[in-house]
Amino acid sequence: MSELGIEYQTVLGLPPVDFVHLAADLDCHHISMKVTGGGIYDHPSFSMLDDTALRQQFIAALRDRDVTISLGEGFVVRPAYELRDEAAALDVMAEFGVTRVNTVTMDPDLPRSFDQFAVFTEMASDRGMTTTMEFAKSLTVTDLPTALQAVAHVGRPDFALLVDTMHAVRSGNGPDDLLMLEPEWVGYIQLSDDTLAQRNPVYRDDSSDRRVPGTGEMPLVEMVAALPPVPVVGVEAPMRSLLAAGTPVSECARQAVAGAREVLQAADELRKTRARGCHR
């Protein structure tokens, strides 16, 4: 069974060192992380690109609590912006020991986006990292077929898809679609649950208020079982409504982790059942 990580969105802007300790306290030894973040839900903004003291405190916390970063985030293709300018941020990610970074595009120019993915992948490779690319209805790469076009365009073994289960379902994909994916096409999985229908008219606002995995309407067990196994599955379950109602971030994360573990266990059992059926 894949190991479980906690995605940065789940903790809704929690400061980096606090995030490491929370993950370790929940017996999760993988997190996703950005170089800059915070500034929401009363959490202070931070920049580990500029704040070298914070950067060293973060590295020490990772070491002391036996936590690794399973995914480096925050790399976005935008119009008139070159991902080559993210070299310093990638250097910081390398200092953190990151081996996989993710990118998305909000540039409506799809061919340019694909070219930027290729540039970024080469930059990451130079630092010993592989790259994933995420698709969602709110992004320029909105669906799985377009995402696979990006994989073909970049044409490197160190560039693959990040599949977020909620985004995949809302883009029109189900377990049968995911079964068709070759193992080398999938580099990372984010476990997300929600209602099938978008509730908030703004997709990004809607996706910041998800459900505890296993309590929403997504066919999570079937989707995870259909996807090629990956070393780490990150639970991405920001629950803005719970936080607004007074539930501490730590409790939101605890519920997300508990639900995700149940889903992963059920998906592993489903894989085993299918394998036994194939051998009969």
Side-chain angles (χ1 to χ4, degrees), residues 166-225:
M166 183 195 76
H167 293 322
V169 170
R170 288 187 170 177
S171 295
N173 304 117
D176 289 345
D177 300 300
L178 302 183
L179 273 170
M180 306 300 292
L181 296 175
E182 298 292 339
E184 63 267 23
W185 296 345
V186 180
Y188 197 81
I189 298 170
Q190 288 179 333
L191 189 65
S192 303
D193 206 351
D194 210 331
T195 55
L196 292 174
Q198 183 177 328
R199 304 179 310 282
N200 190 304
V202 179
Y203 190 91
R204 287 187 169 277
D205 291 342
D206 187 78
S207 66
S208 69
D209 196 16
R210 307 184 193 183
R211 301 289 189 262
V212 172
T215 68
E217 299 174 353
M218 305 290 168
L220 292 190
V221 172
E222 293 79 6
M223 294 189 77
V224 174

Side-chain angles (χ1 to χ4, degrees), residues 80-229:
Y81 180 75
E82 290 289 329
L83 281 184
R84 290 191 187 278
D85 294 337
E86 296 286 356
L90 280 175
D91 288 340
V92 171
M93 287 291 182
E95 192 176 349
F96 294 160
V98 174
T99 58
R100 184 181 303 279
V101 287
N102 187 58
T103 184
V104 301
T105 178
M106 299 182 70
D107 185 344
D109 186 337
L110 195 60
R112 180 180 183 275
S113 296
F114 286 5
D115 288 342
Q116 286 287 294
F117 291 156
V119 167
F120 185 73
T121 301
E122 183 174 356
M123 293 171 62
S125 178
D126 289 343
R127 294 162 175 81
M129 305 174 195
T130 61
T131 302
T132 55
M133 185 276 302
E134 184 176 3
F135 64 95
K137 285 176 63 178
S138 58
L139 301 169
T140 302
V141 179
T142 60
D143 53 34
L144 183 56
T146 309
L148 290 174
Q149 290 176 22
V151 171
H153 178 87
V154 175
R156 296 175 56 119
D158 53 0
F159 180 78
L161 299 180
L162 183 155
V163 178
D164 179 305
T165 53
M166 183 195 76
H167 293 322
V169 170
R170 288 187 170 177
S171 295
N173 304 117
D176 289 345
D177 300 300
L178 302 183
L179 273 170
M180 306 300 292
L181 296 175
E182 298 292 339
E184 63 267 23
W185 296 345
V186 180
Y188 197 81
I189 298 170
Q190 288 179 333
L191 189 65
S192 303
D193 206 351
D194 210 331
T195 55
L196 292 174
Q198 183 177 328
R199 304 179 310 282
N200 190 304
V202 179
Y203 190 91
R204 287 187 169 277
D205 291 342
D206 187 78
S207 66
S208 69
D209 196 16
R210 307 184 193 183
R211 301 289 189 262
V212 172
T215 68
E217 299 174 353
M218 305 290 168
L220 292 190
V221 172
E222 293 79 6
M223 294 189 77
V224 174
L227 284 163

